[in-house]
Amino acid sequence: MNNQLQAFAYEYVAACLLDAYSSLLSKQAMILAMNSSFVDPLLQFEFQLTQVESSFKLLIAMPSLDEVKEVNNSSNDQEDLEVRCFFVLYQNVLNVFEDTLLILVSKDFYKLQILKDMAVWMSKDSSYLQERVMVIISRVLSFASRKVKSYTSVDAPCLGDLAAELSLLCSHSDLAITQQAALGMYHLLCIAKCQNGKNADIFKKDTMDMKSRSNSIMPSPSEMDFLPKILQRDKAKIAQHVGQSLIPSLLTDFVWSLLMKLSETNYKTASQASCMLKLTLEYHADKVTMVSKIVSTIYKKLCGNSTHIMNHAMLRVITLLTRTSPKKVIFQLMDYPVPADNTLILMWHAAGSEASVAPHVLKTLLLILKGKPGETQDSSTGGRRLSLDATNMMPVAASQALCMLLPVSSYRKAVAQFFPQLLMALILQVFYSRDLRLTANDRPFFARDALRILLKCSGLQEVDTALEEKDCWSQFSQVLYHHHGIYLVARTLSDYHFPQFPETLHYLYKLSVEDPRRSEDTVITVIFLTELLNNFFKDPFPEEFLILFRNWINDSNPSVSKLSLQKIASMAPVINEIENICSLILSILDAFLSKEKTVVIRALITLRKLLEKLDKVTYSSLCTRIASSYCPLMDHNHYNLNTFLSDSYGGIRTIAIQHFGELVKDMNQYMWMLTDVVFESLVSLILYLEDTELRVFNACKFTLEICASQFNWSTSYWLKDKNYNFEMIVLNICNNLVSDSSVFTTYISHGRYLTDLISHALGYLWSSRTYLRRGAVILTGYLVKLGGHSLLRVETEVMLEAIDQVLRDEDPLIRELAKITHKIFKEIAHGSTSSAVKQAFRRLFNFFYFKKLKLVYHYDETYAQIARLKEAKDAKSDKEGLTEENYEDFLSKDVKFVNALEQTSEEE
């Protein structure tokens, strides 16, 4: 019976070995046949991997070495030769499989991927985990580690995944498997070192020459002696050397594989993977890439059904990654909906659990808080979108994160360090939250809560209580009072003399000199800084801050400009104590050029307050520049009337004219400096007497009265309300120019000044306002009649062309007035010359002889007559059939009658 069983055992072992041997040879032939450069690499690898897997299963299914030895031990001497053949056949089967792998790896190191797949197969099925398989893996890695030395570059992307599998096997309960796994790990790290461009000796000692592969299945004694003992069941050493040897991409694969192992149902495997993962990140978290992907995967796994050990390990991974990559971790945690769920809150606490990373976490959150919540992301830029939805809600998420992190005791030192930055960032977010209220009424106000927590954590509980009593937080949500909420925060902090004032002031100054992120940010900075300075400094402010306010005068945001001008105006009582007062006033003058009407008005008011207190010496040095800056504001071409409403611009013109007169009055002792500017503005002052707005008329009358008193003109009589007559004012001013010898010498004997006055008046002929065109026609006529002798023929011809166009004006009165002016130009043109010499003699002659001007237009009578005629036309046109042509003829006759009266008056 025993003999029969023995025979059956022989036959079974022989059949299994022969079948495995033949099958492996067949599969080896097919595998090597596909190992050609003419085959698509992907198809080639997939086919070879399938065949290797089939061969692997044959290898696992054949009798073990122990079974072969048992047959050998139970045989007699006569059958010893046959049993030895079985043993040789067993070795040949293993050698065929090993040779197949060696050939594949020798051609392409990428095929080391097959070893990784073998390790995965063994991890999934414990029956596959056999010593003989581990021996083959270690031998192939040994061969690859020797061969890799002759290569300049190595393409082995699977090393990280394979290292993860071997690292777990290095702690296996079976010592034989542990030794083979450690040996394989050693050779793998040698390959990685070469791939990393370093010496293959990872343990800083000379490597021993490995013996060539013998026919024995187990490693040689010398190879086993060389095996570093530190790789056997010492997870810390393995983690250290893996991190040192693998390049960042491979180390990331190593970490990723271990992270996936945490989901294993096998508690022992998950526990070992957790331990190895944490140790690796303890030493080399800085080399791990794809941090965002890891954090995202952890979030998904924590949201699922995970075990306690898995949760603890994954949260620890978040903590360790935050040490070296706080920005990547924090930005990924921002990329989830607001408010945060319980899982995300756990991850936030894990990320901020260590005091050493607190400054880095707060810096990252401050960077995010620079954004404006609800601001639409520009997809056209092609940049990475940092939020899940189309609008940027990351600042809201950052505010919620601060609500969780600020109270943590480990953050106390970092919070004190970044108090100014956190304070201003959260105030901005509270300010921005007023817009979110309209679209998300149920959204918690995390920015407000975080700001209150910041105050409490910084020892400012009394400030928080006072703000609550003042109903400060509701101010931010009201459009009309949101800036008042900022004022309340700054004022309350100042009232309680908060100890962080020096650091806050320094940060505000730094924030002010940097380029602003948004214009509304600058508004808040100005309000906050101004209030702090008001409470801790007396006017005037230190020079460093005055420079800021001077620069803000011409800020692109009108609100900033007005706030700065308002503060500067309040410093009028101490204006003479400011060192660079001239540069400050010149900056205010530049604000006159602003396109925003409210800025111009504020600049005018501020300048006037300063000039009332400014010492006369400084005043006199600037008076000409200031007066010249008023002139464009009085001119009709300075603003586009389609841009501003007439009443708004009328306010600017009124203030400019009024302040110009006050300046002339203030500088009565320096009139010789202002004479040029006064005559530059004279045309505007005269023409705007006819403005339909009473405030403009009163301002012009006020300023002209001052100018008349300074130049001793007898114009005041006609400027009084009961005596007001526009044409008589024009006539009187022109005659006074003749009678005043000093003015006459400057402006009449030098024809270029008179030409400027006429050109300025002609410019009003294209105004959209009828009264300006009428006045310009009259003023031009008198100026030409006064000093036409100084005009060259070419100048007269150009001016005459301008009058010709007015002859076709839509207003009938302007057309008639233009005819008179046109006649005056014709008379002047008849006597003009193109010779500069002759013209000089004419000027010299007229210097000694002038004839006073008399009424030419009878403007009031003509205006009244035309008004009556227009009424008659409207009333009788239907009955009498009065045509447009008949009306023009009738009007012409009436004007001729008026001219006849004038001529008779002159003869008398």
Side-chain angles (χ1 to χ4, degrees):
M1 187 67 180
N2 292 334
N3 292 334
Q4 291 179 351
L5 292 174
Q6 188 70 26
F8 177 77
Y10 286 155
E11 292 176 0
Y12 172 75
V13 172
C16 289
L17 292 177
L18 287 173
D19 183 61
Y21 186 67
S22 61
S23 298
L24 287 175
L25 286 176
S26 174
K27 293 184 180 299
Q28 183 186 56
M30 289 189 291
I31 292 172
L32 298 181
M34 286 291 291
N35 206 30
S36 171
S37 59
F38 297 101
V39 182
D40 181 79
L42 180 60
L43 296 176
Q44 177 191 102
F45 179 77
E46 290 178 351
F47 175 79
Q48 291 175 341
L49 181 61
T50 303
Q51 296 301 317
V52 169
E53 184 178 8
S54 178
S55 301
F56 176 78
K57 291 180 179 179
L58 288 173
L59 188 68
I60 295 299
M62 74 177 191
S64 64
L65 182 60
D66 293 334
E67 293 176 344
V68 175
K69 290 181 178 180
E70 184 178 351
V71 173
N72 184 28
N73 293 335
S74 62
S75 64
N76 52 38
D77 295 338
Q78 295 177 354
E79 298 170 342
D80 182 64
L81 180 61
E82 184 177 355
V83 173
R84 290 183 179 275
C85 291
F86 289 162
F87 187 74
V88 172
L89 181 59
Y90 180 85
Q91 291 179 335
N92 289 337
V93 171
L94 298 178
N95 290 339
V96 170
F97 184 76
E98 181 181 341
D99 289 339
T100 302
L101 296 177
L102 291 174
I103 294 172
L104 292 176
V105 172
S106 66
K107 296 294 184 180
D108 188 359
F109 279 103
Y110 183 84
K111 301 295 176 61
L112 288 172
Q113 173 76 23
I114 296 175
L115 300 183
K116 189 269 294 186
D117 291 324
M118 291 172 59
V120 172
W121 300 333
M122 289 187 293
S123 65
K124 291 181 178 180
D125 190 341
S126 59
S127 64
Y128 291 175
L129 186 56
Q130 299 178 6
E131 181 185 2
R132 54 186 173 181
V133 178
M134 292 302 303
V135 170
I136 294 174
I137 291 176
S138 64
R139 284 180 177 277
V140 175
L141 288 173
S142 176
F143 167 79
S145 67
R146 296 194 302 272
K147 189 174 181 61
V148 76
K149 296 177 182 179
S150 61
Y151 285 78
T152 56
S153 62
V154 181
D155 181 20
C158 66
L159 292 182
D161 296 325
L162 181 56
E165 298 291 343
L166 293 177
S167 66
L168 298 180
L169 294 176
C170 286
S171 300
H172 198 271
S173 56
D174 189 339
L175 180 60
I177 292 177
T178 300
Q179 290 178 342
Q180 294 302 320
L183 183 60
M185 176 67 80
Y186 167 74
H187 293 305
L188 183 147
L189 296 180
C190 288
I191 299 171
K193 279 290 185 177
C194 292
Q195 188 179 30
N196 203 12
K198 298 179 181 178
N199 193 295
D201 182 11
I202 64 173
F203 305 104
K204 298 183 180 180
K205 65 178 183 178
D206 296 332
T207 58
M208 300 174 60
D209 292 332
M210 303 294 292
K211 293 185 177 181
S212 60
R213 182 169 57 87
S214 63
N215 291 331
S216 62
I217 299 174
M218 300 299 295
S220 64
S222 60
E223 187 174 359
M224 292 298 296
D225 292 340
F226 172 71
L227 177 66
K229 301 296 182 180
I230 59 174
L231 293 181
Q232 298 183 32
R233 299 178 180 174
D234 191 338
K235 295 182 179 65
K237 294 295 184 181
I238 294 175
Q240 290 180 9
H241 290 296
V242 166
Q244 292 171 1
S245 303
L246 297 182
I247 59 177
S249 60
L250 297 181
L251 183 62
T252 302
D253 293 339
F254 177 83
V255 171
W256 181 262
S257 296
L258 293 176
L259 183 64
M260 296 299 103
K261 293 287 184 181
L262 297 179
S263 303
E264 291 283 344
T265 55
N266 189 319
Y267 173 81
K268 186 176 181 180
T269 301
S271 178
Q272 290 180 349
S274 172
C275 182
M276 183 60 66
L277 180 60
K278 289 185 285 187
L279 287 171
T280 303
L281 294 177
E282 286 276 0
Y283 297 118
H284 301 289
D286 57 317
K287 292 179 65 176
V288 176
T289 59
M290 298 195 320
V291 173
S292 299
K293 180 181 178 182
I294 294 174
V295 175
S296 177
T297 302
I298 291 176
Y299 176 78
K300 294 176 182 178
K301 288 187 175 295
L302 290 176
C303 289
N305 296 325
S306 54
T307 62
H308 176 73
I309 184 174
M310 177 180 173
N311 290 350
H312 183 271
M314 289 186 173
L315 292 176
R316 182 59 182 169
V317 169
I318 295 293
T319 302
L320 295 174
L321 290 176
T322 308
R323 285 184 183 177
T324 56
S325 304
K327 282 189 178 181
K328 295 179 180 179
V329 174
I330 299 303
F331 269 96
Q332 184 58 38
L333 293 179
M334 292 288 109
D335 208 9
Y336 294 102
V338 178
D341 54 24
N342 293 332
T343 300
L344 193 57
I345 291 175
L346 287 175
M347 296 176 69
W348 271 114
H349 283 293
S353 60
E354 296 184 349
S356 60
V357 301
H360 304 289
V361 172
L362 292 182
K363 284 182 181 179
T364 306
L365 292 176
L366 286 170
L367 179 64
I368 296 170
L369 289 174
K370 290 181 179 180
K372 183 177 181 180
E375 192 172 44
T376 303
Q377 299 291 321
D378 186 7
S379 58
S380 61
T381 58
R384 178 180 180 270
R385 183 169 55 85
L386 296 178
S387 58
L388 292 176
D389 46 13
T391 56
N392 179 21
M393 298 306 296
M394 292 176 64
V396 181
S399 299
Q400 184 182 14
L402 287 175
C403 291
M404 294 181 281
L405 298 178
L406 290 178
V408 178
S409 59
S410 59
Y411 271 66
R412 187 169 301 170
K413 183 178 180 180
V415 170
Q417 178 184 353
F418 293 99
F419 176 83
Q421 293 89 329
L422 291 169
L423 177 67
M424 294 308 302
L426 290 174
I427 287 177
L428 286 172
Q429 292 303 316
V430 174
F431 177 76
Y432 294 143
S433 297
R434 76 190 194 281
D435 298 328
L436 295 178
R437 189 187 184 98
L438 301 176
T439 58
N441 292 325
D442 57 340
R443 189 186 302 278
F445 286 90
F446 295 118
R448 178 198 61 195
D449 296 340
L451 180 56
R452 297 188 64 184
I453 293 173
L454 174 66
L455 294 175
K456 294 176 182 177
C457 295
S458 304
L460 301 173
Q461 294 89 344
E462 294 180 349
V463 174
D464 176 62
T465 304
L467 291 174
E468 187 72 17
E469 292 174 353
K470 295 177 182 178
D471 197 23
C472 171
W473 310 118
S474 63
Q475 304 287 334
F476 284 95
S477 59
Q478 300 178 25
V479 178
L480 296 177
Y481 301 103
H482 53 263
H483 283 155
H484 185 66
I486 300 167
Y487 161 80
L488 283 178
V489 174
R491 181 60 182 269
T492 307
L493 284 170
S494 301
D495 290 343
Y496 284 89
H497 302 284
F498 69 116
Q500 298 88 349
F501 168 73
E503 299 89 342
T504 305
L505 186 64
H506 180 269
Y507 175 71
L508 285 171
Y509 179 80
K510 178 184 177 183
L511 201 64
S512 301
V513 298
E514 295 175 349
D515 293 333
R517 300 182 296 275
R518 295 178 189 83
S519 57
E520 55 260 44
D521 294 4
T522 309
V523 175
I524 295 173
T525 302
V526 174
I527 294 174
F528 209 88
L529 179 62
T530 302
E531 189 57 33
L532 291 184
L533 291 174
N534 285 339
N535 285 275
F536 288 93
F537 292 96
K538 293 182 179 179
D539 290 337
F541 293 157
E543 181 65 21
E544 295 82 359
F545 296 102
L546 279 177
I547 293 175
L548 293 178
F549 283 91
R550 185 188 68 192
N551 295 336
W552 283 330
I553 291 174
N554 295 288
D555 193 86
S556 58
N557 188 331
S559 298
V560 175
S561 300
K562 288 183 285 186
L563 286 169
S564 177
L565 289 167
Q566 184 177 0
K567 179 55 192 175
I568 292 173
S570 69
M571 289 189 281
V574 293
I575 190 65
N576 295 311
E577 299 178 19
I578 299 177
E579 295 181 3
N580 298 323
I581 181 58
C582 293
S583 62
L584 183 62
I585 291 179
L586 292 178
S587 296
I588 297 175
L589 296 180
D590 291 338
F592 288 179
L593 304 177
S594 174
K595 296 180 180 179
E596 176 62 37
K597 58 183 181 298
T598 55
V599 173
V600 179
I601 293 174
R602 174 58 64 181
L604 286 166
I605 296 173
T606 299
L607 178 62
R608 189 60 214 161
K609 287 185 177 181
L610 297 183
L611 295 181
E612 289 174 354
K613 301 295 182 180
L614 189 63
D615 67 90
K616 294 299 180 182
V617 176
T618 307
Y619 197 167
S620 61
S621 66
L622 296 171
C623 64
T624 304
R625 174 69 183 275
I626 297 172
S628 299
S629 299
Y630 285 132
C631 291
L633 300 180
M634 297 186 279
D635 192 8
H636 73 121
N637 287 323
H638 183 65
Y639 283 102
N640 184 354
L641 295 181
N642 294 325
T643 303
F644 294 129
L645 297 176
S646 59
D647 59 339
S648 299
Y649 177 55
I652 294 176
R653 182 181 291 114
T654 301
I655 298 174
I657 294 173
Q658 184 85 15
H659 290 181
F660 182 81
E662 292 173 354
L663 182 143
V664 173
K665 185 178 180 180
D666 294 340
M667 293 287 102
N668 58 352
Q669 297 178 353
Y670 302 89
M671 281 306 300
W672 59 272
M673 301 174 63
L674 292 175
T675 303
D676 288 356
V677 185
V678 170
F679 278 87
E680 181 184 347
S681 65
L682 188 59
V683 172
S684 297
L685 293 174
I686 294 174
L687 295 183
Y688 277 108
L689 282 170
E690 291 289 280
D691 197 295
T692 55
E693 293 189 60
L694 182 61
R695 56 180 177 176
V696 178
F697 167 75
N698 289 331
C700 290
K701 187 176 66 171
F702 169 80
T703 301
L704 282 174
E705 287 177 348
I706 293 176
C707 293
S709 64
Q710 297 299 325
F711 291 111
N712 298 319
W713 294 345
S714 58
T715 311
S716 300
Y717 174 81
W718 300 106
L719 288 172
K720 295 180 179 179
D721 293 340
K722 61 180 180 179
N723 303 323
Y724 175 77
N725 185 297
F726 176 75
E727 187 176 2
M728 289 302 300
I729 292 173
V730 173
L731 179 64
N732 187 272
I733 290 177
C734 290
N735 285 329
N736 276 283
L737 290 176
V738 175
S739 62
D740 189 343
S741 59
S742 61
V743 174
F744 166 78
T745 302
T746 305
Y747 292 96
I748 303 302
S749 63
H750 297 81
R752 65 186 182 89
Y753 292 104
L754 182 61
T755 304
D756 290 340
L757 289 174
I758 297 173
S759 299
H760 193 187
L762 290 173
Y764 280 88
L765 295 179
W766 284 269
S767 174
S768 61
R769 302 186 179 188
T770 304
Y771 71 86
L772 288 177
R773 299 199 303 273
R774 291 175 182 173
V777 171
I778 295 173
L779 180 59
T780 302
Y782 279 110
L783 289 173
V784 171
K785 200 169 183 63
L786 175 67
H789 59 274
S790 63
L791 298 176
L792 295 172
R793 178 174 297 173
V794 64
E795 295 174 336
T796 306
E797 291 174 354
V798 172
M799 296 177 182
L800 192 58
E801 290 178 2
I803 295 297
D804 287 340
Q805 296 183 16
V806 186
L807 292 173
R808 297 183 293 275
D809 195 276
E810 61 183 9
D811 183 75
L813 179 57
I814 293 177
R815 291 197 298 268
E816 295 306 320
L817 295 175
K819 290 178 183 178
I820 300 174
T821 305
H822 186 272
K823 180 180 178 181
I824 295 173
F825 266 104
K826 283 291 187 180
E827 295 174 355
I828 296 298
H830 179 73
S832 63
T833 178
S834 58
S835 172
V837 177
K838 293 181 178 179
Q839 194 69 15
F841 278 108
R842 289 189 64 191
R843 291 175 180 172
L844 182 61
F845 173 77
N846 282 277
F847 174 76
F848 295 102
Y849 174 75
F850 276 97
K851 183 179 180 181
K852 284 193 174 184
L853 302 179
K854 295 185 179 181
L855 282 177
V856 176
Y857 296 92
H858 297 278
Y859 174 58
D860 290 343
E861 294 84 350
T862 305
Y863 180 80
Q865 183 66 24
I866 289 179
R868 289 194 298 271
L869 293 175
K870 189 175 187 303
E871 292 176 0
K873 174 192 173 185
D874 295 337
K876 301 179 180 180
S877 58
D878 294 336
K879 296 180 179 181
E880 300 179 0
L882 187 63
T883 62
E884 182 69 23
E885 291 79 5
N886 293 334
Y887 171 72
E888 293 294 338
D889 293 340
F890 182 68
L891 182 62
S892 177
K893 292 178 182 179
D894 186 77
V895 174
K896 289 179 180 178
F897 174 75
V898 174
N899 290 339
L901 290 177
E902 177 192 353
Q903 184 176 0
T904 303
S905 176
E906 289 181 359
E907 290 176 356
E908 293 176 353

